[in-house]
Amino acid sequence: YQTTDFMISIQTSKGVSDVVRTVKVVTDLSSRTLELFEIERRYFEEQGLDWGIILESRLPSIMIRNIDWIFDGRFLDSRPGLDTELVEYIKSPFIQLLIDDAAGTPIQKLCLSADNKYGLEPGSCKFILKHLLANKVIHTDMQKLIRSANPLFISKVAIK
């Protein structure tokens, strides 16, 4: 039984394109697994999608740590007290606050300041920041480690 691990949208010089990747540990690459991968590769080729294998040893550790930091923000229902209506209400001013932070304030301080400004529980804006990143409303360089003690530089905003 085969499964595909990731469908990734990437920005290229020709625009956005989707690629399919499966992740494997080198020790799991038996001849049978390679045969199944060939079937999977052909399937995605017929769909017009670029398919490839990523070996676990070649995974980008900084990106993985960033995804881990962002991940719990994917869905609002994982944070009590936050809902779509509240996030929509503060989204634009909060994003503007992030963009206008020319001083490069650390994430933790900026988010606590925003919590106070909007009358939210401490940690709410940090969760909202993770939510906006996880849902690609705001973009940052995922090749640079995201740390609460460091500033976050926004590279793109995609307000829906």
Side-chain angles (χ1 to χ4, degrees):
Y1 183 73
Q2 282 300 113
T3 60
T4 300
D5 295 311
F6 294 100
M7 171 79 83
I8 307 166
S9 298
I10 59 171
Q11 181 71 42
T12 67
S13 59
K14 298 176 184 176
V16 176
S17 66
D18 292 329
V19 298
V20 179
R21 295 295 181 262
T22 191
V23 179
K24 276 292 178 219
V25 179
V26 173
T27 56
D28 291 345
L29 294 178
S30 66
S31 60
R32 177 65 181 146
T33 302
L34 293 173
E35 288 173 9
L36 293 171
F37 282 157
E38 180 57 19
I39 293 168
E40 191 173 356
R41 184 194 67 77
R42 289 180 187 185
Y43 169 79
F44 284 111
E45 183 179 56
E46 287 177 11
Q47 304 302 311
L49 294 169
D50 179 6
W51 178 90
I53 300 171
I54 299 173
L55 299 177
E56 182 183 43
S57 61
R58 303 229 17 203
L59 292 175
S61 62
I62 290 175
M63 187 176 292
I64 290 170
R65 288 176 64 187
N66 287 343
I67 291 169
D68 185 52
W69 188 81
I70 292 168
F71 186 76
D72 68 324
R74 178 81 171 113
F75 301 103
L76 287 175
D77 60 4
S78 64
R79 175 76 181 210
L82 291 181
D83 59 25
T84 305
E85 184 179 352
L86 177 62
V87 171
E88 285 300 317
Y89 180 73
I90 71 159
K91 179 169 64 175
S92 291
F94 181 55
I95 291 171
Q96 196 60 53
L97 179 72
L98 293 167
I99 292 169
D100 290 345
D101 182 42
T105 308
I107 293 169
Q108 189 69 34
K109 288 181 181 178
L110 192 65
C111 289
L112 282 173
S113 173
D115 288 335
N116 288 332
K117 180 177 182 173
Y118 303 127
L120 301 173
E121 293 287 321
S124 295
C125 283
K126 187 173 172 184
F127 184 88
I128 292 169
L129 173 63
K130 292 178 180 186
H131 179 74
L132 296 173
L133 286 164
N135 290 284
K136 299 180 182 180
V137 175
I138 58 175
H139 300 252
T140 191
D141 184 352
M142 294 294 285
Q143 304 296 328
K144 294 181 182 172
L145 186 62
I146 299 172
R147 297 192 53 207
S148 294
N150 293 341
L152 179 76
F153 298 100
I154 306 301
S155 60
K156 181 180 171 187
V157 176
I159 299 281
K160 297 173 184 171

